[in-house]
Amino acid sequence: MANGREELGILKYETGGSSPKHHKNQRDPTSMENATAMLGPKRLIKKHEFVRIIIQCLHSLGYKNSASCLESESGISHKSPESKLLEMQVLNANWEDSIGILNGIEDLTEETRASALFLVLQQCLLECLSRGDDSSALAILRKRVSPLKVGREKVHNLAAGMLSLKEMGMAKIDDSSICELRRKSLVELEKLLPPPITLPEGRLEHFVETAITAQMDSCIYHNSFREISLYEDHYCGRDQIPTQTVQDKIMEV
């Protein structure tokens, strides 16, 4: 892990700065085919997007081996190159490169970029405190975090939290906890970044539930309490509409 002074090198990156240049890999024929192939009777579904969300779903269900096999066979990864690179840099505490990657993503709004940079700098600051490098942590807070347009309250809360950790003697964090915090920061970063860089969580499940809900809403005679099946389109026939009413008779005494 880099020392505090080396990690402070992230300060040379401005919020709107440029990222390190990376060479683009030449696309193989399989990738080119996946990028243009369309699926479905109406040819509305992009094959590479469809496969990508299937792989994401397999990962979320715990079928890691199946997801890896599908990635290998299709030549499609559920994580974009930018997402993979950012993951590697964050998990390895390469904060300078992490910020460079975020600054190099063109389609981010300034608000999203600032929020993403805040997450990276917050983790860097926390690790500086954990090593006892208070001067670097303070420099990051003053020179990099404060200018970010994330709201004064957010910056003040970070500063207050930093001070509280020091006062309570809780700034020191063990290596396993540091790794877990990096992963949590990465998850929050992925939630901020837009498609196609990252995929919204549970994308395939969302599509299926949306389709089921639409079928139920368009069902003219919907009066069924039976479980909905994915094996067939939902439909209630007229025979399921009640034709008789049952009224309680009031007995007069």
Side-chain angles (χ1 to χ4, degrees), residues 231-247:
Y231 297 144
E232 59 183 359
D233 291 343
H234 176 73
Y235 174 76
C236 294
R238 295 186 63 177
D239 58 317
Q240 292 178 273
I241 299 178
T243 56
Q244 295 180 341
T245 60
V246 178
Q247 296 180 342

Side-chain angles (χ1 to χ4, degrees), residues 63-190:
Y63 303 135
K64 308 297 183 183
N65 292 336
S66 298
S68 297
C69 287
L70 182 52
E71 284 184 316
S72 177
E73 187 173 355
S74 66
I76 299 171
S77 173
H78 86 289
K79 290 194 173 184
S80 67
E82 297 93 339
S83 179
K84 286 182 177 179
L85 189 57
L86 182 62
E87 178 179 4
M88 180 177 67
Q89 304 303 346
V90 169
L91 295 182
N92 286 285
N94 296 326
W95 310 120
E96 182 176 347
D97 288 338
S98 298
I99 288 182
I101 293 167
L102 292 172
N103 281 331
I105 299 175
E106 297 179 355
D107 296 331
L108 291 184
T109 65
E110 288 308 308
E111 181 181 358
T112 299
R113 193 186 310 278
S115 296
L117 291 172
F118 179 85
L119 286 172
V120 171
L121 290 168
Q122 177 180 248
Q123 182 63 31
C124 178
L125 186 153
L126 183 63
E127 294 191 24
C128 286
L129 285 178
S130 180
R131 291 193 306 273
D133 191 354
D134 297 356
S135 59
S136 292
L138 188 59
I140 292 171
L141 182 65
R142 288 176 174 174
K143 298 179 181 179
R144 284 294 103 217
V145 177
S146 294
L148 292 176
K149 297 179 181 179
V150 293
R152 185 170 297 179
E153 183 180 356
K154 201 169 184 178
V155 177
H156 285 176
N157 288 340
L158 178 60
M162 170 181 162
L163 183 60
S164 296
L165 287 174
K166 292 299 296 182
E167 289 179 345
M168 293 186 294
M170 298 175 61
K172 178 64 178 177
I173 306 174
D174 60 80
D175 290 343
S176 61
S177 296
I178 285 288
C179 291
E180 183 61 27
L181 287 172
R182 289 176 190 169
R183 292 192 177 279
K184 288 182 178 179
S185 294
L186 184 63
V187 170
E188 293 304 312
L189 276 171
E190 290 176 341

